[in-house]
Structure formats: C-alpha cells, structure tokens
Amino acid sequence: MCDAPTNLAPAGWYADTSDAGQERWWDGSRWTDRVRPTPLTPETATDTSDAALPTDNGTPVQRYRLTYTPPDDSPRTNTPATLSLIFGIISLIVNPLLLVGIAALILGIVGLRRAGNFIPPVGHGKAMAGVVLSIIGTLVNVILIIVVVSALIGSGAFQSGHRNSSSAVWQDQGEVQQLISTGIHEQTGAKVDAVQCAVPAAPTAGTSFDCIARIADAPDLRILVRVQDNEGRFVWQVTGKEPEASAGA
C-alpha cells in the first residue's frame, strides 16, 4: 500500500501523494486515515528532510521522507496463464501436428514468468496446470500417431506411387515384380523373397491383376495392380494377407 522503507520511519506527518495539499499520519508501522493540510511553516521542510539532525545531546538523528501512495485496486490478470490452461485442455482432445500442445507449453512458461511480477503471484496455478496438460497431451498424441502408423504398416495398408514408363514394361513381367518387391521393402523393411504376378497378355487402361509377394518369416501379401493408361503408368496396393493354403499351393 505504501512506499515505506524497510527500516520503518518514526510516527509523524508525511506527504500524501493522493493530495498534494495535505499530509497523512504515519503511526510508525502503517498509514492511517488521519490527514491534515500541509502546514506552511519551517516544520514542513524539517519533517521531509533526509539530513541527519542533532538532538539536544549532540547525537545525530536520521530523518525520513515518506510519501503515501494510494493502493492499486485495478484488477490483475495473467492472460498467458489462462490461455495455457485452455490450450492444455484442448491438447488432450485434439492436437493436430502437436501445435496445440506446443502453444500451451509456451504460453505456460510465459505465464509462470509473468506470475512472479505480482505479489501475491497471479495465475501461477493456471500456468503450471497448462504446462503439465500440454506435456501430457503431446505425449498422448505422439503415442497415438506411433500406434496408428504401426498398425497401418502391419496390415500392409500402403501404396506405391505410379511408375512412368513405356509399354515395354508389360513385355518384361520381371520388371513389374521387381518394382513391387523394392516398394514393399522400402516402406516396411520386410525382405521379399519373390513376387508372382498374373499379368494379362495385353494390359490396357483400367486393367487390374493380382500379385503375391512372398515375405520372409511372415505371411504372404496379396497385391492389386491397376493399369492407369495405355502408356504404362500403374499403381499397386497391398490388399491383405494371402491365406496359408494359397501361399503353400
């Protein structure tokens, strides 16, 4: 409420900054409601002087200058702390590209630093909760992404890009099989022992045919190949696992 020094000044009348024409009574530990007009006497200069004045026995006495500052009743807010808490909660539900969690973490750190500017701290709890929730939300989403990607790879739900080549590809069935074998290995790391395809005699745009990929130490995969145009472009996709009976046939 006031700008009193740490070594409390003695009781007395001191300048009131809320009204330049009056003084307020300091009781030695706090400001009181007692006020008076500023006296136009030499006493005024004496009471507000910082000089050390002698007493009757010659011992110097330190004088004090105090000014009364009205209390600041304006509301104190910590917006980053509040936003951190909100984004932290959202990150537990939806966190695209982890951006919501990262935003909550940054706002929480800013909110914690800003909370220290107030006495008592304002928004410290919200900022701390936002930081914790952002970390949890980010970890949960990272784990979810890993699980989904692993499931897709494990089920064979992947697809190559199209191959731009001439129609000579269809004259050499081995090249089609090699492209599929290389694609599976690059996307999953699995070792492909062989790829067997039933390529039509004259594949045209819209034609589809099946291939079987023999995977080392794993079930065989069924591949669907679809011809895109008459220039030799095609796409292939794993459609599932080959039944054991068919694989051994």
Side-chain angles (χ1 to χ4, degrees):
M1 292 180 58
C2 60
D3 299 331
T6 54
N7 52 332
L8 298 179
W13 293 100
Y14 296 94
D16 186 345
T17 56
S18 64
D19 188 338
Q22 69 180 18
E23 294 180 333
R24 185 175 295 270
W25 179 257
W26 168 262
D27 66 4
S29 61
R30 63 183 180 84
W31 292 104
T32 68
D33 293 333
R34 296 173 55 192
V35 295
R36 73 175 186 182
T38 302
L40 301 177
T41 64
E43 179 185 354
T44 304
T46 302
D47 286 345
T48 59
S49 173
D50 286 328
L53 302 178
T55 61
D56 294 338
N57 59 7
T59 303
V61 176
Q62 179 67 44
R63 307 295 295 179
Y64 298 87
R65 175 184 289 116
L66 296 183
T67 55
Y68 171 77
T69 301
D72 183 9
D73 296 328
S74 59
R76 298 180 296 174
T77 60
N78 191 339
T79 302
T82 302
L83 292 177
S84 174
L85 178 59
I86 295 174
F87 280 110
I89 295 174
I90 295 176
S91 70
L92 297 176
I93 305 172
V94 57
N95 194 4
L97 300 178
L98 308 180
L99 295 179
V100 178
I102 294 174
L105 179 61
I106 295 175
L107 288 169
I109 294 175
V110 174
L112 287 174
R113 298 185 61 181
R114 183 165 296 184
N117 296 333
F118 301 99
I119 301 177
V122 175
H124 184 275
K126 292 182 179 180
M128 183 60 68
V131 169
V132 173
L133 290 176
S134 69
I135 294 175
I136 295 176
T138 300
L139 290 177
V140 168
N141 279 270
V142 168
I143 294 174
L144 181 61
I145 291 172
I146 294 175
V147 170
V148 171
V149 172
S150 299
L152 290 175
I153 293 177
S155 65
F158 47 83
Q159 179 177 339
S160 74
H162 67 266
R163 160 83 172 177
N164 187 2
S165 63
S166 67
S167 57
V169 168
W170 307 115
Q171 298 175 13
D172 182 7
Q173 184 177 154
E175 184 174 355
V176 177
Q177 297 167 343
Q178 181 60 42
L179 289 171
I180 295 175
S181 176
T182 301
I184 293 176
H185 178 71
E186 290 178 348
Q187 295 182 53
T188 67
K191 180 181 179 182
V192 181
D193 290 336
V195 176
Q196 300 174 349
C197 298
V199 181
T204 58
T207 302
S208 297
F209 58 89
D210 291 328
C211 297
I212 302 297
R214 309 293 183 185
I215 309 297
D217 302 324
D220 297 342
L221 297 178
R222 182 186 297 275
I223 313 295
L224 175 65
V225 180
R226 184 174 67 256
V227 181
Q228 290 188 305
D229 53 38
N230 294 326
E231 296 180 358
R233 287 189 289 266
F234 68 93
V235 293
W236 60 267
Q237 182 177 9
V238 175
T239 58
K241 297 179 181 179
E242 181 69 6
E244 294 294 335
S246 299

